[in-house]
Amino acid sequence: NADLAMYRAKEFGRNNLQVFTAEMAAKAHEKLQLQEALREAIARDEFILHFQPQMSLASGRIFAAEALLRWQHPQRGLISPATFIPLAEETGLIVPIGDWVLRAACRQAKAWQEAGLPPLIVSVNVSARQFRERNWAARVAAVLAETGLHARYLELELTESLIMQDLAGAIATMHELEAIGVHLAIDDFGTGYSSLSALKRFPVSRLKIDRSFVEDIPSDPDDEAITAGIISLAQKLGLRVIAEGVETEAQVEFLQKSGCDEIQGYFLSPPLSSRDFQALLQGCDADGV
Ligand code: C2E
Ligand code: MG
Ligand code: MG
Ligand code: MG
């Protein structure tokens, strides 16, 4: 890749070559710096979780929260997971970071229960590298025991690509997790590659329809057809289905009409700090606690 960039740069002449290489060096340096900072971030207590509510369309009740990781970088401020998760995956740092996320999410869910809030399911994103760790299901069980959270209040979000990388191994781990009592969901459903015959074998309880299909509803009839198709597939397989990235009333109407069970998205609320999320649950003004 670097060679290709050089070759392209050469086509532009000598000065450009210098510009390109300086730029590339700066990029590489920045990445290295970020990687070093990421290595320190757990010890420095720089990670936080935000929580985004999920609502049942039938009851209007908030029954779950997705835990979404943020990095409070001392100089750069709040960094989104899209920026640092790929780097964390590349370096393997996602394993200790993912452990931190799982523990923090379980601890928070337990703390809300102890504060007297109605019990919620906390949903945690899992990366492939993490999922493939030896005895991962046992590690999940250990975190539940340590935090005192009952397994039925934890859901793990897996992607199709994670599962398809090693189908037999993934299904085995999923069965171990199912035996512990945690829920499993397929995140970003419809964007990955998984055959319907494979899907039938996944011990999952929910599909999360990817935001990209919901985005252009109601203006794009193809996206409406895909979304309605996923909903009816889920129903036929006996799975619950949630739409991600729901932003408008028109989308809610379409989803309701199509038989979607649940929604998540800015229409309800963006991801919130634990404090603001708790205030939302208690039905008071987020700033008024
Ligand atoms: P995801 O799991 O699909 O999470 C949903 C993303 O959509 C979140 O982005 C959320 O803030 C955003 N979102 C929710 N509702 C709306 C909406 O109505 N409109 C729009 N435009 N966006 C909405 P976020 O928090 O930036 O996370 C991005 C991705 O990073 C996540 O996608 C997930 O794949 C990954 N991620 C986040 N936290 C973790 C983590 O703890 N571990 C791992 N492995 N991955 C994580
Ligand atoms: Mg997710
Ligand atoms: Mg998603
Ligand atoms: Mg995702």
Side-chain angles (χ1 to χ4, degrees), residues 55-282:
M55 192 186 84
S56 152
L57 282 173
S59 67
R61 206 182 134 247
I62 291 171
F63 68 96
E66 178 171 6
L68 293 158
L69 184 61
R70 272 91 183 95
W71 179 13
Q72 284 180 307
H73 190 282
Q75 282 89 42
R76 297 170 186 225
L78 212 60
I79 305 184
S80 110
T83 312
F84 68 87
I85 295 271
L87 188 61
E89 277 170 349
E90 201 180 303
T91 54
L93 285 168
I94 193 65
V95 174
I97 293 172
D99 272 350
W100 181 90
V101 170
L102 183 64
R103 191 167 285 108
C106 291
R107 197 180 286 139
Q108 184 61 73
K110 182 69 181 174
W112 280 327
Q113 288 179 15
E114 283 177 344
L117 296 167
L120 283 179
I121 291 171
V122 67
S123 211
V124 172
N125 292 283
V126 177
S127 86
R129 192 91 175 236
Q130 224 186 329
F131 190 78
R132 283 202 310 264
E133 284 286 289
R134 201 170 279 283
N135 295 325
W136 197 65
R139 287 165 71 160
V140 172
V143 171
L144 288 167
E146 180 196 317
T147 57
L149 186 71
H150 194 286
R152 70 165 166 275
Y153 299 118
L154 176 65
E155 179 181 71
L156 300 171
E157 295 190 5
L158 315 174
T159 58
E160 292 164 276
S161 58
L162 173 156
I163 297 169
M164 297 311 288
Q165 272 172 31
D166 169 18
L167 183 60
I171 289 180
T173 305
M174 288 162 87
H175 279 298
E176 288 172 27
L177 291 163
E178 190 192 28
I180 292 167
V182 306
H183 306 277
L184 299 173
I186 310 252
D187 200 2
D188 307 335
F189 187 77
T191 60
Y193 141 82
S194 64
S195 68
L196 294 180
S197 62
L199 179 63
K200 201 176 70 175
R201 296 168 55 203
F202 301 165
V204 299
S205 46
R206 293 215 283 179
L207 299 183
K208 299 192 75 175
I209 302 174
D210 191 67
R211 185 173 83 217
S212 60
F213 301 120
V214 177
E215 210 168 45
D216 295 327
I217 292 174
S219 65
D220 187 330
D222 291 342
D223 284 342
E224 285 197 341
I226 292 168
T227 299
I230 295 174
I231 293 167
S232 93
L233 174 70
Q235 285 172 340
K236 284 179 182 127
L237 292 175
L239 305 176
R240 288 185 6 252
V241 61
I242 182 165
E244 296 191 286
V246 177
E247 296 186 355
T248 68
E249 183 116 40
Q251 290 166 349
V252 177
E253 272 164 26
F254 176 83
L255 292 162
Q256 209 142 24
K257 189 185 76 189
S258 309
C260 190
D261 300 298
E262 298 146 5
I263 58 166
Q264 175 179 346
Y266 297 166
F267 177 77
L268 269 181
S269 165
L272 301 171
S273 69
S274 58
R275 190 173 172 280
D276 288 347
F277 186 88
Q278 180 165 343
L280 177 88
L281 281 187
Q282 288 167 332

